[in-house]
Every structure is written in structure tokens, then in C-alpha cells.
């Protein structure tokens, strides 16, 4: 038995909004229990990490953890492959592992999804189109300056206990890994959690469907609940959902009371929950980050390719993962068979680098076009009014709008864009240097890091190469 928690400081305004909106004031405690079960389940049975390590490094470091640590208990059942959690003897939650589908929170009864066919469980199918980026052994560089740059990314603070914030760094230049480093317990094959980098995978799957003429970003999104032309949401496009300016009441605040927490931690059908939201602003007029918008996009992908988890996996492998040689990938799904495309995909650091290569090379790998011509340019074009120059599934090298309305640089080279997830997950695409840098870890600092560690890593790598 161990203690663990996920909770952020309760803020008076979100709490009041929660009460007025009908949600429970105990939602943060319930979310803490659910997050603990799901995270430990996934990182134990997908990533192969010890539960105690997951607890200490990913969950226990969350802000305000100490407030309820002494009340939280979790239990790992290696036979049933499930994790359960209670807080103060109540708020029970359970997550179960399913072969090929990762872990799922069980709210009432076990999910109905049938076991996957053996061919999907066997791993990669067709030979990759992308030339291999490295051999089976870990790559180190003969350049001392490059190794020193990676050393700094793993450096521990001079005082206090070890924090082990960085878990993996992979640097790819001109299609080959030139150096990589892994923390203890991690290696070249360890699948690591995407958090919001999953949104870039959804961007790619949408881009493939656009390439094939099955979707159009500038047309009303094919959401049955919005089919009526008189529905004010009818005009929401895939572009609006990709760019977080749909106008729906799905704003992500980072509070444990917000709609994203409720959707991911408590809803069996995440997209149905998101699609039911009303408009609160004219379509396209207001930017606000929204993971529920990507749940809607994930449902659109699911319905377009066959309507269930098996169909999504077959499509994703055939059209994206196999051509890139991404072998250590797990997509997690909700009970409705919709991929959790806002937050919960797993892949090794090398596989995340392979995804970065796709975007570096304009959607082409080994002479094969995966993404429609112009898709990368469209996806990396910043959205007016967006923080950090958010584009359409990736971020650009523009910081929040300055006091006089102009963009403020992030410290990244011009033209750089990147996938980014909570706790410091990054795939950085530096076009000017033909460079992809992957950094994965458990850093609590938001965005690019209060200490500028991500721009510094990129700058150090570039300096070492020159």
C-alpha cells in the first residue's frame, strides 16, 4: 500500500463556478483518486515502471499534494492488471489495463470493448517508409559540447534531494539520432506519456483524412449533435476545433473544477460530454485552450475510420505509425471506443522523434507523402489571439502577446514549432537546423519552463553543432 495524490490548490472563483454549474465541490478529491489510479495503471503496465517510482516522481510532485497525502492509498493488482485508489477511505476509483488499449477508468461496469485481434496485438505491420533513425544501441556523440548540452538537461539542483525531472532527451539531425540520454529505469523502448502532445497525433490523423478527401477543415465539423442548420454550433469547423477557437463553453483553466478534469476523470463518453457544451462566444472570435475540443476531433476520426477502437488502431498503424516505424506506441481509449486524443497516448522518445521528423519533412517520409501537401504549413501557422502562437495542433516560436500587441520571442530559433504536453513533454522541430529535439520528463514548471530550460537545451545543442 502506498500514498499518492493529484490535486491543485482550490481557487475560490473556480469553486464558485463549479457550484453554480452543478458540479460537486468534492470534484478535486474524486479527480485525485481517478488520476492516481489511471496514471499508475498506465505507467506500470504500459511503460513498465515501478509503481512506487510513478507515485514519487509523477504524482507526488503535483502542487498541493501534501494536503491529502496522508489520506490517500493506492493498490496495484499485478494479476488482474488494475490499480485502485481511495482517499480517506472513500472516493474509490479503479483503472484496468487492456491489451493493446492501455488503461481505462472503470466508473460503473467494465468497458464493453472486445479484445483486439491477434494481428493488432502483434505490433508493427508493414515495413517503415522512414529510414531508421538509429540502431539498437543507445547513441552517444563524440562531440563533448553536445554531450555537455544533454548533461545540463539532466542536471540536478545543487541543494536538496534529487528531483529526476528529465527522463529522456533524443536529438535527431538530418534524419539520424546524434545523441540521446535516459534516466534510470528508462531506455530507448520505454513508452512515455504524451499528455497534450497527443493533440499533435490527432492533428496528423486529421491531416491524413484531409489528404484523402474524407474531411475538410473549413466545412462544418461532422458532429451529429450539431447537424441541424439552426443549431448555433452547426458552423463550427474542424479548423476551429484544431485552433481552440470554437466558442464552446469548454475552456480549460487548469483548475481541478474545470470541464477537462470532469471529462477525463469521470466521463465514459468523453466526446459526447464535450459535444453537449453550448456556445458562449461567436465561432472563431475567442481563443481559449480546450482539451475537450480535441475529444470531439478524436470522435470525428473514430467515426470516419470505422467507429470503434480497433478501427482507429488499424487506421493509425497503417497510415501513420507503421510508415514512421513507430513500434512502441499505445493509444488509450474511453469506454465509447474514442481515443483519448487530448492527453493519453504513449510512445518511446525515439518514436516521438519519428513523429517530429514527419513534420520537419513537410509530411513526407522516405518519398511517401503521409500528410497532404501544405498541411504542415497550415498546422504551424499561428492562430490570431492565441497564447504562445498556438497554431493547429502544435505551438510556434511566439510567446504571449506583449503589452503593445506584438509577439514576444520564446528564445527558440525563428520558424521553430513544437508539440508540448504537461510536465515538460516536448517535440521541438527546428527547421533552420534540420533538427528534432525530444525532451520528456516530470517538470512541474509550466509551458517552456520558468527557468528557460527548454530554449536553453535547444540553444546549447545548436551551439555544439556549430
Amino acid at each position: 500500500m502506498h500514498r499518492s495524490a493529484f490535486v491543485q490548490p482550490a481557487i475560490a472563483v473556480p469553486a464558485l463556478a463549479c457550484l453554480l454549474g452543478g458540479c460537486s465541490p468534492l470534484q478535486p478529491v474524486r479527480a485525485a483518486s481517478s488520476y492516481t489510479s489511471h496514471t499508475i495503471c498506465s505507467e506500470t503496465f504500459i511503460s513498465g515502471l515501478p509503481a512506487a517510482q510513478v507515485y514519487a516522481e509523477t504524482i507526488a510532485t503535483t502542487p498541493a499534494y501534501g494536503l491529502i497525502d496522508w489520506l490517500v492509498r493506492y493498490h496495484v493488482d499485478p494479476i488482474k492488471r488494475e490499480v485502485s485508489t481511495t482517499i480517506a477511505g472513500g472516493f474509490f476509483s479503479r483503472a484496468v489495463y487492456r491489451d493493446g488499449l492501455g488503461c481505462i477508468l472503470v466508473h460503473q461496469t467494465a468497458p464493453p470493448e472486445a479484445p483486439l485481434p491477434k494481428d493488432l496485438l502483434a505490433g508493427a505491420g508493414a515495413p517503415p517508409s522512414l529510414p531508421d533513425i538509429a540502431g539498437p544501441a543507445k547513441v552517444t556523440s563524440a562531440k563533448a559540447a553536445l554531450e555537455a548540452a544533454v548533461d545540463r538537461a539532466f542536471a540536478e539542483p545543487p541543494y536538496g534531494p534529487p528531483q529526476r525531472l528529465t527522463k529522456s532527451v533524443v536529438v535527431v539531425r538530418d534524419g539520424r539520432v546524434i545523441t540521446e540520454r535516459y534516466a534510470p529505469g528508462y531506455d530507448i523502448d520505454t513508452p512515455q506519456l504524451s499528455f497534450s502532445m497527443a493533440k499533435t497525433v490527432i492533428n496528423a490523423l486529421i491531416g491524413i483524412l484531409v489528404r484523402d478527401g474524407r474531411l475538410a477543415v473549413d466545412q462544418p465539423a461532422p458532429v451529429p449533435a450539431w447537424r441541424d442548420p439552426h443549431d448555433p454550433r452547426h458552423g463550427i469547423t474542424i479548423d476551429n476545433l484544431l485552433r481552440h477557437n470554437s466558442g464552446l463553453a469548454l475552456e480549460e483553466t487548469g483548475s481541478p473544477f474545470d470541464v477537462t478534469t470532469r471529462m477525463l476523470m469521470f466521463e465514459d463518453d468523453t466526446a459526447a460530454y464535450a459535444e453537449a457544451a453550448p456556445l458562449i462566444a461567436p465561432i472563431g472570435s475567442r481563443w481559449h485552450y480546450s482539451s475537450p475540443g480535441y475529444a470531439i476531433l478524436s470522435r470525428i476520426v473514430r467515426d470516419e475510420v470505422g467507429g470503434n477502437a480497433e478501427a482507429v488502431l488499424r487506421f493509425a498503424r497503417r497510415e501513420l505509425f507503421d510508415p514512421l516505424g513507430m513500434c512502441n506506441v499505445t493509444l488509450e481509449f474511453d469506454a465509447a471506443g474514442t481515443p483519448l486524443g487530448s492527453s493519453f497516448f504513449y510512445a518511446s522518445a525515439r518514436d516521438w522523434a519519428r513523429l517530429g521528423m514527419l513534420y520537419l519533412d513537410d509530411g513526407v517520409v522516405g518519398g511517401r507523402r503521409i500528410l497532404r501537401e501544405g498541411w504542415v504549413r497550415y498546422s504551424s501557422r499561428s492562430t490570431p489571439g492565441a497564447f504562445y502562437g498556438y497554431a493547429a495542433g502544435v505551438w510556434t516560436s511566439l510567446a504571449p502577446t506583449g503589452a503593445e500587441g506584438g509577439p514576444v520571442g520564446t528564445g527558440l530559433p525563428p520558424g521553430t514549432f513544437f508539440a508540448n504536453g504537461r510536465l515538460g513533454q516536448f517535440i521541438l522541430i527546428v527547421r533552420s537546423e534540420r533538427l528534432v529535439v525530444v525532451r520528456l520528463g516530470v517538470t512541474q514548471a509550466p509551458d517552456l519552463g520558468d527557468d528557460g530550460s527548454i530554449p536553453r537545451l535547444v540553444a546549447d545543442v545548436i551551439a555544439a553543432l556549430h
Side-chain angles (χ1 to χ4, degrees), residues 247-269:
L248 292 170
L250 294 173
E251 297 181 350
E252 187 166 336
T253 65
S255 160
F257 293 98
D258 77 359
V259 292
T260 298
T261 300
R262 177 172 174 177
M263 178 188 76
L264 291 174
M265 296 296 106
F266 310 135
E267 297 294 331
D268 285 329
D269 190 334

Side-chain angles (χ1 to χ4, degrees), residues 307-381:
N308 56 41
E310 178 184 338
V312 172
L313 286 176
R314 288 193 183 280
F315 174 76
R317 285 195 179 176
R318 181 182 70 250
E319 299 293 338
L320 184 64
F321 301 147
D322 285 354
L324 292 176
M326 296 176 67
C327 300
N328 299 291
V329 181
T330 297
L331 309 185
E332 294 194 313
F333 293 79
D334 67 14
T338 300
L340 295 174
S342 70
S343 310
F344 292 116
F345 292 169
Y346 282 77
S348 68
R350 283 188 178 183
D351 281 345
W352 289 122
R354 291 180 173 98
L355 182 66
M357 287 296 303
L358 175 69
Y359 283 80
L360 178 66
D361 289 330
D362 191 39
V364 176
V365 294
R368 174 180 174 182
R369 178 158 289 284
I370 304 299
L371 305 176
R372 186 194 69 180
E373 185 175 0
W375 183 258
V376 172
R377 183 171 61 254
Y378 157 78
S379 300
S380 59
R381 186 179 70 244

Side-chain angles (χ1 to χ4, degrees), residues 28 41 57 69 95 134 149 156 173 192 199 212 237 286 304 367 373:
C41 178
E57 296 178 355
D69 173 37
E156 293 285 349
R173 194 181 199 198
Q192 293 178 248
K199 294 177 173 68
D212 292 343
T237 64
R286 177 179 176 181
E304 189 61 39
E373 185 175 0

Side-chain angles (χ1 to χ4, degrees), residues 193-204 289 294 342 351-353 355-357 359 379-380 388 390-397 412 416-430 436-440 447-448 454:
L193 177 56
S194 63
F195 288 110
S196 284
M197 291 199 310
K199 294 177 173 68
T200 306
V201 178
I202 294 300
N203 167 281
Y289 194 79
Y294 273 73
S342 70
D351 281 345
W352 289 122
L355 182 66
M357 287 296 303
Y359 283 80
S379 300
S380 59
Y388 285 102
Y390 192 88
V394 297
W395 303 79
T396 69
S397 55
L412 296 171
T416 298
F417 62 97
F418 54 93
N420 176 217
R422 181 176 173 268
L423 300 187
Q425 321 315 315
F426 282 91
I427 309 169
L428 299 119
I429 295 100
V430 188
V436 173
V437 179
V438 173
R439 187 274 185 192
L440 307 174
D447 304 320
L448 289 177
I454 300 303

Side-chain angles (χ1 to χ4, degrees), residues 43 47 49-50 52-59 61 138 150 153-156 162-170 180-188 190-193 195 347-350 423-426 438-443 454 457:
E43 298 206 2
S47 303
L49 299 172
Q53 181 178 352
V54 177
Y55 151 75
E57 296 178 355
T58 303
I59 299 172
T61 54
K138 185 169 72 73
V150 177
F154 281 81
E156 293 285 349
Q163 297 184 17
R164 301 182 180 89
L165 300 179
T166 300
K167 298 304 180 185
S168 302
V169 170
V170 175
E180 59 190 331
R181 184 83 50 84
Y182 300 94
Y186 294 74
D187 59 31
I188 61 175
T190 302
Q192 293 178 248
L193 177 56
F195 288 110
S348 68
R350 283 188 178 183
L423 300 187
Q425 321 315 315
F426 282 91
V438 173
R439 187 274 185 192
L440 307 174
V442 290
T443 304
I454 300 303
L457 170 61

